Amino acid sequence: MKQPGMTQGHDELDHRFLQRAIGLAHIQALAGKGGPFGAVIVREGRIIAEGCNEVTSTNDPTAHAEVVAIRQACQAVGHFALTGATIYSSCEPCPMCLAAIYWARLDRLVFANTRLEAAAIGFDDALIYSQVPKAIGERSLPTLHLPLPEGAAAFAAWAAKVDKVAY
């Protein structure tokens, strides 16, 4: 059954590249270097980057497969935007990875396992998904907004900069 907002239709390339992402996840799961997640970024029918979950092997909580692949792809193409590319992920991306996919300007996302299936094996993002729409004071993470003049000055300097690279 199609979920709301989901696109239908795939081709042989989608199947092949998603199988590669799943294969990376399987290898990573057996190697014990991180969670069972893999991602592949493809542009013009060619893989430009791959990533596996490296959270436990690098002690980096942001080293999810999608983020690792995005970092590698941006280095490979020499740009922070990955327009024209598709990311294939072995699992529905967590909120951090989904945000990174949007920031990287990827054109498409194709994934295999759902976040509910991930939760069933111990990778539950429900807390994060529930916290994002809440007002800052209602979130479980104690947060202090402390506006300083230096913060405003840094923003003003950026706004006035004529040679900035907008993103």
Side-chain angles (χ1 to χ4, degrees), residues 3-162:
Q3 294 178 8
M6 298 282 286
T7 57
Q8 290 183 347
H10 66 282
D11 59 22
E12 186 273 326
L13 288 178
D14 284 339
H15 189 87
R16 181 166 50 107
F17 292 129
L18 187 56
Q19 279 188 317
R20 175 63 185 159
I22 294 166
L24 292 169
H26 198 170
I27 290 166
Q28 194 69 351
L30 296 176
K33 295 181 179 178
F37 304 101
V40 174
I41 297 179
V42 175
R43 185 186 274 166
E44 297 175 357
R46 184 176 68 81
I47 293 174
I48 59 173
E50 297 180 335
C52 291
N53 180 288
E54 300 174 356
V55 170
T56 59
S57 61
T58 63
N59 295 318
D60 179 354
T62 69
H64 291 200
E66 297 89 345
V67 172
V68 170
I70 288 168
R71 289 173 180 159
Q72 290 181 6
C74 289
Q75 288 296 310
V77 302
H79 202 271
F80 57 82
L82 298 172
T83 51
T86 297
I87 187 166
Y88 296 88
S89 179
S90 62
C91 188
E92 181 178 358
C94 74
M96 175 186 70
C97 292
L98 185 59
I101 290 166
Y102 276 102
W103 277 113
R105 315 273 194 296
L106 285 148
D107 285 8
R108 290 176 69 225
L109 162 64
V110 178
F111 67 89
N113 298 312
T114 68
R115 65 183 175 182
L116 297 177
E117 291 166 321
I121 63 164
F123 296 93
D124 193 350
D125 299 323
L127 173 69
I128 301 168
Y129 276 106
S130 73
Q131 294 293 301
V132 170
K134 292 182 178 182
I136 292 171
E138 296 174 6
R139 294 179 184 159
S140 63
L141 178 67
T143 304
L144 172 65
H145 175 216
L146 183 59
L148 295 175
E150 297 87 351
F155 273 26
W158 174 259
K161 187 173 175 60
V162 295

